[in-house]
Amino acid sequence: MSLHFTRHSGAAIANLFEPLARLRIAVFRDFPYLYDGNTDYEREYLGVYARSERALLFCVHDGDQMVGATTAIPLADETDAVQAPFVRANFDRSSTFYFGESILLPPYRGRGLGNRFFDEREQHALRFGDYHTTCFCAVDRPANHPLRPADYKPLDPFWQKRGYRKEPALTSVFVWPDLQELEPSPKDMIYWTKSWD
């Protein structure tokens, strides 16, 4: 397996729209996201990153194929839906960097790339010198969800090892269509944070 990595910031992210959208749609079909993706949603979502000068897209390629990617962006540049719980909590958004997806096709998992994704995003955020918190959010599916695989293992222990803690007071609602749904529906999201002070 011969992998290579690329980094893109700001407007340059728009050049990777097609392969990144395909990758997101493929990976997020699986539990717990069950995302029935479409390119219109993807274009709107990824446009937020392309408009942010400090945003990061870190990609993993196997030959010409993008097989993994992760994103990061100043929280203040994110959508109102992402910022909403921090507004309610009077949290300092200007010193917080938000981590978007970490996605990897199944054959490439278990090779340490999850840690590489966190390393890349954290180093990117901290190099500016004015961010003291990094954060991300994850969908909160019930343990008895009918589409939960029997062998599903939540990533909570991995995130905790990386120094992140779940913040039950920081919750948001995102809307997307689940597989087999005719219309988009709301999903509860819980945020995880790490302080660098």
Side-chain angles (χ1 to χ4, degrees), residues 153-174:
K153 295 180 180 179
L155 290 172
D156 297 33
F158 170 65
W159 295 332
Q160 290 165 350
K161 285 183 180 179
R162 292 290 317 193
Y164 288 81
R165 66 177 187 179
K166 187 185 291 189
E167 300 283 359
L170 296 177
T171 62
S172 193
V173 175
F174 294 175

Side-chain angles (χ1 to χ4, degrees), residues 29-34 139-157 166 178-180:
R29 286 182 66 85
D30 293 339
F31 189 87
Y33 287 89
L34 303 173
V139 66
D140 184 27
R141 296 285 194 181
N144 63 347
H145 192 284
L147 296 181
R148 178 185 174 113
D151 60 351
Y152 174 72
K153 295 180 180 179
L155 290 172
D156 297 33
K166 187 185 291 189
D178 271 3
L179 298 176
Q180 303 175 354

Side-chain angles (χ1 to χ4, degrees), residues 65-79:
Q65 182 186 11
M66 184 187 294
V67 299
T70 193
T71 59
I73 188 173
L75 179 61
D77 291 347
E78 255 292 1
T79 63

Side-chain angles (χ1 to χ4, degrees), residues 34-161:
L34 303 173
Y35 168 53
D36 190 6
N38 65 78
T39 54
D40 288 341
Y41 178 92
E42 290 300 310
R43 192 175 300 279
E44 180 179 349
Y45 170 81
L46 296 172
V48 173
Y49 287 79
R51 290 190 294 271
S52 174
E53 182 179 340
R54 291 186 171 185
L56 169 72
L57 168 62
F58 177 76
C59 303
V60 184
H61 305 268
D62 187 355
D64 294 332
Q65 182 186 11
M66 184 187 294
V67 299
T70 193
T71 59
I73 188 173
L75 179 61
D77 291 347
E78 255 292 1
T79 63
D80 291 343
V82 173
Q83 295 188 50
F86 297 89
V87 173
R88 292 194 301 268
N90 293 316
F91 203 95
D92 183 9
R93 289 168 288 155
S94 65
S95 65
T96 303
F97 223 88
Y98 175 76
F99 294 167
E101 65 279 281
S102 280
I103 49 177
L104 198 60
L105 293 176
Y108 301 89
R109 297 172 189 171
R111 302 173 185 272
L113 290 169
N115 277 306
R116 177 72 182 270
F117 285 162
F118 269 99
D119 291 343
E120 292 288 341
R121 293 182 298 182
E122 290 172 351
Q123 291 166 13
H124 177 79
L126 296 177
R127 73 181 179 88
F128 295 109
D130 47 5
Y131 297 100
H132 307 289
T133 303
T134 51
C135 69
F136 62 90
C137 67
V139 66
D140 184 27
R141 296 285 194 181
N144 63 347
H145 192 284
L147 296 181
R148 178 185 174 113
D151 60 351
Y152 174 72
K153 295 180 180 179
L155 290 172
D156 297 33
F158 170 65
W159 295 332
Q160 290 165 350
K161 285 183 180 179

